[in-house]
Amino acid sequence: MIENPQTAAWHGKLNLIYAHRQNSTQLIYNHHQAPLKVQRAFYPEGEKVCHSVMLHTAGGVVGGDRLSSHFHLQPNTQALITTAAASKIYRSNGLQARQTIDIQIDAGACLEFLPQETILFNGADYRQDLRVELATGASFLGWEITRLGRSARGEKFLEGEWRSHTEIWQQGVPLWIDRQFLPGNTEIFHSPHGLFGQPIVGSLLWLGYPVSTEIIEQVRSLFTQHSALSTEHSTLYTQHSILNTQHLVGVTQLEHGLLCRYRGASTSEVRNWFTAVWQILRTSFLNRNICIPRVWQI
């Protein structure tokens, strides 16, 4: 008897609530439904910052899976959430796989949401939705790194679909809305308006406080060895892109923060760049040094 793929799908849930108690950030509520769960809280940089590691116990995501997470940071909490390993999205069985993450960050709180890379197998059909409700005086730093096709095996993303929708709101006002859609086919894979032959795309977003032009230039200086192709200026943002045969990167000054983009071929390259940007933002706005999650070093 052949099993119906719809009945075999996972419907994972994860609900985390953080509170400020006794001068520390504590995970006061943790509800999970397989295959999602979270490890016990870690405090590698003191009691004020709670580190949480998400787990996907099934090992990978298949068509029909529905994963939903809700994170609530109560006032004056500080949390860093990452994943234990790269997420794998397997070839679709004809159904779309979907992950939805809703985040509420109250006044004076800050979330650093830094998942490890997502790997889409050729033929995967995957959509991820991230929505953040940011209170006045709250801040959010998040990134996503996506590898389209198992490029280490020579695989290209020539079939399937990838969608990524991100929305950041503050008191009913949209601070940032970003919708990305990439169908898997040869034309898009090689087009300069698509992947341009590169398998990895990444975005880093900081929102909550304006970023000075000095910090923007500092972030850009990480790539000063390459030639600048274009610079745009307006009252709302400043964008700068740098291209060589290996990668295309962009740095944008937003009205309430900073955006970095990457398109290239190296996970370590984008991760090292994002980590360096993260360190600049941490020291400038959060008054603390970089603290690499220990699961990244395994």
Side-chain angles (χ1 to χ4, degrees), residues 12-297:
K13 297 180 181 179
L14 182 63
N15 189 352
L16 307 178
I17 300 177
Y18 298 84
H20 188 258
R21 303 276 176 84
Q22 300 177 340
N23 203 33
S24 71
T25 297
Q26 299 179 17
L27 181 58
I28 63 169
Y29 182 77
N30 169 17
H31 172 76
H32 63 268
Q33 178 175 304
L36 296 179
K37 65 183 301 185
V38 67
Q39 293 181 353
R40 66 178 179 85
F42 299 102
Y43 294 90
E45 51 184 320
E47 294 296 315
K48 290 187 177 181
V49 185
C50 180
H51 286 226
S52 296
V53 179
M54 296 171 57
L55 300 174
H56 186 285
T57 57
V61 177
V62 302
D65 282 2
R66 296 290 183 267
L67 306 176
S68 61
S69 300
H70 178 76
F71 310 139
H72 180 193
L73 275 66
Q74 294 183 359
N76 302 313
T77 52
Q78 312 287 318
L80 186 154
I81 300 176
T82 186
T83 54
S87 299
K88 298 177 181 178
I89 316 298
Y90 296 124
R91 184 180 183 88
S92 175
N93 54 8
L95 301 173
Q96 183 188 69
R98 186 167 182 176
Q99 176 169 235
T100 302
I101 300 175
D102 290 302
I103 300 172
Q104 179 182 343
I105 308 176
D106 292 346
C110 175
L111 173 63
E112 298 164 281
F113 183 53
L114 311 173
Q116 300 198 57
E117 73 171 318
T118 297
I119 303 172
L120 268 71
F121 289 35
N122 185 41
D125 186 351
Y126 178 63
R127 172 171 172 166
Q128 55 190 26
D129 293 88
L130 172 66
R131 182 183 174 97
V132 180
E133 294 287 345
L134 201 63
T136 301
S139 56
F140 171 77
L141 189 147
W143 71 40
E144 66 175 28
I145 300 171
T146 304
R147 179 180 293 272
L148 295 143
R150 292 170 293 173
S151 51
R153 300 187 178 188
E155 180 181 273
K156 299 178 180 179
F157 192 70
L158 303 179
E159 299 177 55
E161 288 185 355
W162 172 68
R163 296 175 184 267
S164 176
H165 294 179
T166 300
E167 296 188 7
I168 316 292
W169 293 78
Q170 188 174 66
Q171 295 183 331
V173 177
L175 299 184
W176 178 252
I177 294 180
D178 185 34
R179 294 185 174 95
Q180 300 182 67
F181 168 57
L182 192 141
N185 59 59
T186 301
E187 181 180 358
I188 294 295
F189 184 85
H190 293 288
S191 169
H193 303 293
L195 292 176
F196 207 16
Q198 304 297 328
I200 298 174
V201 293
S203 299
L204 179 150
L205 181 67
W206 160 260
L207 280 173
Y209 299 97
V211 176
S212 68
T213 55
E214 289 77 15
I215 291 178
I216 295 294
E217 292 305 320
Q218 190 178 0
V219 170
R220 290 175 180 163
S221 70
L222 299 172
F223 283 88
T224 53
Q225 66 270 35
H226 306 299
S227 59
L229 285 187
S230 65
T231 305
E232 298 181 18
H233 297 274
S234 80
T235 58
L236 293 180
Y237 64 85
T238 302
Q239 182 169 336
H240 180 68
S241 298
I242 303 166
L243 173 69
N244 72 2
T245 56
Q246 297 300 316
H247 59 244
L248 173 69
V249 301
V251 180
T252 303
Q253 184 179 16
L254 304 176
E255 187 175 3
H256 298 280
L258 167 73
L259 173 70
C260 296
R261 299 280 204 193
Y262 174 92
R263 183 182 67 190
S266 170
T267 300
S268 60
E269 182 178 61
V270 61
R271 191 148 148 177
N272 288 340
W273 181 41
F274 281 3
T275 300
V277 176
W278 173 38
Q279 183 171 15
I280 291 172
L281 296 172
R282 254 191 161 225
T283 55
S284 299
F285 294 99
L286 305 179
N287 195 29
R288 54 180 183 257
N289 295 322
I290 203 77
C291 182
I292 302 298
R294 67 182 191 180
V295 292
W296 294 3
Q297 305 171 42

